[in-house]
Amino acid sequence: MSQTTNILVVGIGGQGVMTASEILSEAAISQGYEVKKTEVAGMSQRGGVVSSHVRFGPRVLSPEISPGETDILVGFEVAEAMRWSHYLRAKNGKSGGVAMINRLRLTPPIVSLGLFDYPCDPVAAVRARGLEVHDFDAGSIARELGDMRLVNTIMLGAISGKLPFPADTLKTCIVSRFAKKKPEMAELNARAFDLGKAAGRA
Amino acid sequence: MSHKPFTPAPAGSRLLMSGNEAIARAAWDAGVRVAAAYPGTPSTEILENIARYPDLYSEWSVNEKVSLEVAIGASLAGGRSFCAMKHVGLNVAADALMTLTLTGVVGGLVIAVADDVGFSSSQNEQDSRFWGRFAHLPILEPADSQEAYAMTLAAFDLSEKFDTPVILRLTTRICHVKCLVEVGERSVRRIAEGFTKNPARWVMVPAHAQRRVPEVYAREKALRSESEITPLNRLEAGTDGRVGFVTSGPAYMHVRETFPDAPVLKLGLSYPVPMDKVRELAAQVDTLVVVEETEQLLEGEIRAAGIPARGKDILPAAGELPPHVLRKSLAALFPALQAAGGEAAPAALPVFPRPPTMCVACPHLGVYYTLSRLRNITIAGDIGCYTLGAGHPWNALDTTICMGASMGMALGLDKGRGPDDAKKSIVAVIGDSTFMHMGMQGLLNIAYNQGNVTVLLLDNRTVGMTGGQDNPGSGRNIHGDDAPRIDFAKVVAALGISPEHIRIVDPYRLPDLLKTLREEIKYEGPSVIVTNRPCVLIDAYEKQPSYAVNEEACTGCGNCVEVGCPAIHVTRREKVVKPSGKEVELAFANIETAACTGCGLCLQPCAPGAIKAAKSGSPVTFV
């Protein structure tokens, strides 16, 4: 099944995880791939964990990515990236899974109440798996652009160089969502995408 | 959710659709006249989407039983009808279903039932395929969105051809998986121009009902033959005959992915079981393995027919069966079996759990904070966002069984109390939508039997947990148009609660809430406290200026943290020894100002008054 690309997008309800995977699916469809996208998000709106699986290739059967078979892990939050890191494909010669992590730390009430500890350095824990890991602060880029909702586009920009199709395909998918109704948002998202792309190369 | 109508894509379009969206489109293409549902994960979006199509009637019903009865009426009126529900919804609607199967239908009648395999948002994982056996009716099981579309259309045809209600059995991995779906042309058909009186058929008194039973068995027999020839059941040849699989629904996709070379009998019409086809497969393979989510159902029937089969002896008895689970389970039995993929995956790293929480400024926060202050009470809970009151920091909910159960259970806890509970107060907590769904009869029963129960009716004017659908409490219908709004105080009074014990309280005013609760708990009889603030996720909620903690004034008492608002974070903890010699842990907190919507709950218990209005232009953190 190596012809199938597996992308796992993880975060917390309300962060835009499902929108990001929707856009990824649209981009893959535009390239003629068969796509399946799934998530379990029954309670995600209540601050729970969200994980969205996107699989595309010539033919996709099961919608679920198995542990150890993720090509790209997109972590909207560091502890969530760590939670799902065993889904990444182990290094096999040159190839192996890639983790793209937003450095944001979101402390849940259960940690605030002192019942559990937040891991000290989740990025280092993922890196210890010996895989390609990129981490950056998508929130600060979004803040400079003046709209926190842009984190989503920044993360997609960051992985755009790792996909089996041109980065511009993904960019076009995002920009065209806004082009008709909100041209100023289209422009802002294009900039966010480019800044994310640069950050993802670092 | 969007109430906006939309223009359906033309026939032949290929669209990225969830199973729920595909079923909605198929219902429209099938010419459904009436569609009804009560929201329930993972089925909710089916009716949300149907409501946006033109030229058919759709509604949120007050519960699943009513939705099925509406569909039955519409079928008898001659048009095609449809209803959707989550698995546990059919328990509520079963009374109607078990006799509907005797009467049969006029216009095609399809019931979409969505099982929550994997417990994403339900109190159990029951397997709806049992209803096929229990009610002698066909079960269709799609494996993805395209099949969900096609099988919805096929279900209407089957329903009319065999004069039977049809169950479309879905799971979360059908409802919420998106893939490309090619949609077809709409064709509207009426089976009859109107209702035809026929008491022998539609009035199910014993004499009439009895005569229908042979018809039902004849129908089941005919469906068994249909199951052997329908293209919905497909025997796929394979090159590796060591193991052959019988499977249905999303499990088919997992099997096909994991064992690409194995022969597979893929069941779309999974009940009645096409036993000849199963025999045909069994003859081709060394071992037959049945892969079914969730119960051991097909497997037992296949073995009872004298065909040796494996299944739940190697596969998990509950939950989903994705490729990694199949690989692991089958490797134990067939070490040489070539499964696709399957490198040993590294272990998960330990990370704190992140259970769902109540929202910032949720009006339920005040209720559970107050309940958590009271001692010697037993709290019967119900199904909705407020079930989260069982969690931290409140730990203020003691039971949950099913929709509306808080009412009956509270009365049982009262009437059945033993010596240990002699001085305990019994409180029931129920939301507005659950109250209208199944709670009203329970409250009537409390009033009638004079239970010593205090009921908290949390009216947030929406079906919160499923994403804010309208209901008779919101004053809007499924399209967002004005509808009569229920008056809870009047309903409760009409059920027999005396007017002086019907209290309406603002859940953001903690002292009022505590005082009212104490008074009504003291009263030895039934009382109802209605809270009156809207869900923070609906339009009716008005944001207020946000608050911040004056860190110099914060003494670390931690009272604000006990409110449980996710916008409040502990910045540091400190152990100190009090003059009395007692060691206490202090928790210094701050408020995520950008997330705070100014409900004011946290500043009420703040001992030093350290919570103040946030200044404008304060630094914005993550939203």
Side-chain angles (χ1 to χ4, degrees):
Chain A
M1 292 290 141
S2 57
Q3 282 176 303
T4 305
T5 301
N6 295 330
I7 304 177
L8 187 61
V9 190
V10 302
I12 291 141
Q15 279 194 296
V17 165
M18 279 152 77
T19 309
S21 61
E22 185 96 9
I23 295 168
L24 272 170
S25 303
E26 283 171 13
I29 288 168
S30 77
Q31 298 299 293
Y33 290 113
E34 196 173 285
V35 176
K36 280 193 177 158
K37 165 186 176 285
T38 183
E39 53 262 317
V40 170
M43 297 208 188
S44 60
Q45 209 173 13
R46 311 285 172 267
V49 175
V50 186
S51 66
S52 184
H53 303 220
V54 180
R55 309 192 69 211
F56 59 89
R59 185 163 184 230
V60 182
L61 295 163
S62 172
E64 292 186 64
I65 302 172
S66 289
E69 294 185 359
T70 299
D71 298 298
I72 305 171
L73 174 69
V74 192
F76 276 59
E77 197 268 356
V78 276
E80 292 312 310
M82 180 176 163
R83 187 192 307 283
W84 295 95
S85 60
H86 63 297
Y87 270 70
L88 280 162
R89 201 181 285 287
K91 198 146 194 153
N92 183 4
K94 268 188 191 171
S95 70
V98 178
M100 191 64 69
I101 304 173
N102 178 15
R103 263 184 226 139
L104 172 74
R105 290 167 74 98
L106 283 181
T107 312
I110 209 162
V111 170
S112 264
L113 290 166
L115 299 167
F116 289 89
D117 290 327
Y118 197 100
C120 295
D121 192 347
V123 174
V126 179
R127 197 161 270 137
R129 292 196 184 276
L131 298 167
E132 184 180 337
V133 177
H134 304 266
D135 66 298
F136 65 99
D137 186 353
S140 72
I141 299 173
R143 203 169 295 122
E144 272 172 39
L145 291 171
D147 192 334
M148 288 310 288
R149 288 173 300 180
L150 292 168
V151 164
N152 192 316
T153 299
I154 294 163
M155 292 308 289
L156 288 177
I159 62 158
S160 63
K162 313 284 179 195
L163 299 168
F165 49 79
D168 275 351
T169 304
L170 188 57
K171 188 175 172 184
T172 307
C173 273
I174 296 168
V175 173
S176 62
R177 284 170 87 94
F178 299 101
K180 273 185 201 160
K181 285 181 185 162
K182 294 179 181 168
E184 69 287 352
M185 282 306 287
E187 168 58 24
L188 204 54
N189 274 275
R191 278 173 60 203
F193 186 91
D194 290 340
L195 290 169
K197 194 173 162 189
R201 272 198 295 256
Chain B
M1 65 163 283
S2 170
H3 291 107
K4 250 172 57 187
F6 66 104
T7 312
S13 303
R14 295 185 81 217
L15 310 162
L16 183 65
M17 284 180 146
S18 67
N20 284 347
E21 290 168 327
I23 292 161
R25 169 67 191 227
W28 188 71
D29 281 356
V32 163
R33 300 299 311 164
V34 169
Y38 180 81
T41 308
S43 69
T44 310
E45 299 84 0
I46 301 177
L47 250 285
E48 279 186 337
N49 279 284
I50 285 182
R52 300 172 69 194
Y53 283 92
D55 306 323
L56 84 171
Y57 170 82
S58 56
E59 69 168 41
W60 288 130
S61 309
V62 297
N63 68 35
E64 294 85 356
K65 178 172 180 283
V66 173
S67 77
L68 179 53
E69 290 155 353
V70 169
I72 296 170
S75 166
L76 265 54
R80 286 184 160 182
S81 66
F82 175 86
C83 63
M85 57 195 68
K86 69 184 296 173
H87 56 338
V88 287
L90 193 46
N91 301 339
V92 178
D95 202 2
L97 178 73
M98 294 307 290
T99 303
L100 165 66
T101 192
L102 291 180
T103 66
V105 303
V106 179
L109 194 162
V110 175
I111 308 163
V113 185
D115 289 7
D116 190 359
V117 179
F119 282 98
S120 77
S121 189
S122 303
Q123 68 271 36
N124 76 25
E125 203 187 35
Q126 67 185 52
D127 189 333
S128 295
R129 296 176 305 154
F130 275 103
W131 294 111
R133 283 78 178 168
F134 199 9
H136 308 286
L137 52 77
I139 302 280
L140 295 182
E141 289 189 75
D144 65 11
S145 303
Q146 180 73 65
E147 286 195 5
Y149 175 84
M151 286 193 195
T152 304
L153 295 176
F156 282 103
D157 292 340
L158 271 178
S159 174
E160 283 159 8
K161 186 176 170 192
F162 291 91
D163 191 5
T164 178
V166 176
I167 288 180
L168 189 65
R169 191 249 189 166
L170 313 166
T171 73
T172 306
R173 288 288 173 204
I174 300 301
C175 297
H176 290 166
V177 173
K178 286 196 174 188
C179 69
L180 280 177
V181 177
E182 186 172 336
V183 298
E185 198 78 57
R186 182 171 195 234
S187 116
V188 180
R189 47 190 301 206
R190 282 200 85 90
I191 302 307
E193 290 306 313
F195 174 66
T196 305
K197 289 180 195 283
N198 183 356
R201 186 74 195 280
W202 308 126
V203 183
M204 284 292 100
V205 292
H208 296 166
Q210 217 168 5
R211 286 203 291 272
R212 296 294 301 172
V213 174
E215 308 264 350
V216 169
Y217 284 113
R219 179 182 79 199
E220 194 172 33
K221 202 176 161 197
L223 279 161
R224 207 171 288 283
S225 305
E226 174 73 14
S227 185
E228 297 289 355
I229 55 166
T230 173
L232 296 170
N233 294 333
R234 182 170 79 221
L235 185 53
E236 298 176 354
T239 53
D240 183 348
R242 283 175 295 174
V243 180
F245 295 92
V246 180
T247 186
S248 64
Y252 162 77
M253 292 295 177
H254 303 321
V255 165
R256 201 68 284 184
E257 168 119 11
T258 316
F259 304 104
D261 301 325
V264 173
L265 174 58
K266 190 233 185 262
L267 300 180
L269 175 55
S270 71
Y271 185 80
V273 184
M275 216 50 89
D276 292 346
K277 275 206 153 71
V278 176
R279 266 192 203 92
E280 194 184 333
L281 172 65
Q284 294 172 19
V285 298
D286 300 340
T287 305
L288 195 66
V289 175
V290 181
V291 179
E292 51 188 332
E293 292 173 347
T294 50
E295 296 262 2
Q296 187 194 59
L297 200 51
L298 286 172
E299 184 193 341
E301 289 168 12
I302 288 170
R303 282 218 297 265
I307 307 166
R310 309 290 300 260
K312 292 295 180 186
D313 57 328
I314 45 172
L315 290 161
E320 294 184 280
L321 303 172
H324 64 277
V325 172
L326 290 180
R327 275 197 292 267
K328 200 173 158 211
S329 300
L330 275 107
L333 193 64
F334 310 104
L337 194 71
Q338 198 59 48
E343 304 84 21
L349 298 170
V351 177
F352 57 84
R354 204 188 281 272
T357 63
M358 290 197 209
C359 299
V360 171
C362 173
H364 301 338
L365 293 170
V367 172
Y368 281 104
Y369 175 82
T370 306
L371 285 172
S372 72
R373 303 293 107 177
L374 297 172
R375 296 290 167 262
N376 285 320
I377 58 168
T378 305
I379 306 166
D382 226 298
I383 307 251
C385 292
Y386 48 92
T387 316
L388 298 171
H392 296 296
W394 320 280
N395 303 308
L397 195 147
D398 299 314
T399 69
T400 300
I401 288 279
C402 64
M403 293 286 281
S406 61
M407 301 287 110
M409 288 176 68
L411 186 64
L413 284 161
D414 171 38
K415 299 294 186 189
R417 68 175 77 216
D420 286 1
D421 296 336
K423 287 186 177 160
K424 279 202 182 137
S425 308
I426 311 292
V427 172
V429 183
I430 189 166
D432 54 335
S433 198
T434 308
F435 180 71
M436 292 182 282
H437 177 283
M438 268 291 154
M440 285 195 287
Q441 295 92 329
L443 182 61
L444 174 62
N445 193 56
I446 290 173
Y448 174 55
N449 294 301
Q450 288 298 291
N452 183 8
V453 174
T454 305
V455 174
L456 271 161
L457 172 47
L458 312 184
D459 176 17
N460 66 357
R461 293 179 224 169
T462 191
V463 193
M465 199 61 172
T466 46
Q469 288 72 30
D470 286 301
N471 66 18
S474 72
R476 293 191 302 186
N477 67 14
I478 197 168
H479 305 293
D481 303 327
D482 288 344
R485 182 163 186 246
I486 189 173
D487 184 328
F488 285 110
K490 277 188 185 163
V491 168
V492 166
L495 291 176
I497 305 295
S498 65
E500 60 271 28
H501 294 291
I502 301 169
R503 315 283 296 271
I504 295 171
V505 180
D506 179 346
Y508 291 135
R509 299 172 71 118
L510 295 177
D512 291 359
L513 201 51
L514 186 63
K515 184 167 170 281
T516 311
L517 250 170
R518 284 211 166 117
E519 285 168 6
E520 293 308 331
I521 279 173
K522 221 169 161 188
Y523 166 63
E524 291 193 0
S527 54
V528 175
I529 301 168
V530 184
T531 65
N532 64 355
R533 291 289 197 150
C535 170
V536 298
L537 299 177
I538 65 171
D539 296 345
Y541 178 70
E542 289 172 25
K543 286 185 184 182
Q544 304 297 322
S546 54
Y547 289 99
V549 175
N550 174 0
E551 284 177 30
E552 282 164 26
C554 177
T555 57
C557 69
N559 288 350
C560 61
V561 181
E562 296 297 313
V563 171
C565 176
I568 297 173
H569 298 283
V570 173
T571 49
R572 72 188 154 91
R573 289 180 183 276
E574 214 174 86
K575 282 203 171 102
V576 292
V577 180
K578 285 201 158 181
S580 63
K582 196 180 158 197
E583 193 185 70
V584 291
E585 191 181 58
L586 299 178
F588 296 86
N590 74 0
I591 293 173
E592 201 176 309
T593 300
C596 172
T597 56
C599 74
L601 277 173
C602 59
L603 55 126
Q604 297 175 55
C606 177
I611 298 172
K612 304 284 180 198
K615 292 187 200 82
S616 58
S618 53
V620 171
T621 54
F622 179 79
V623 183

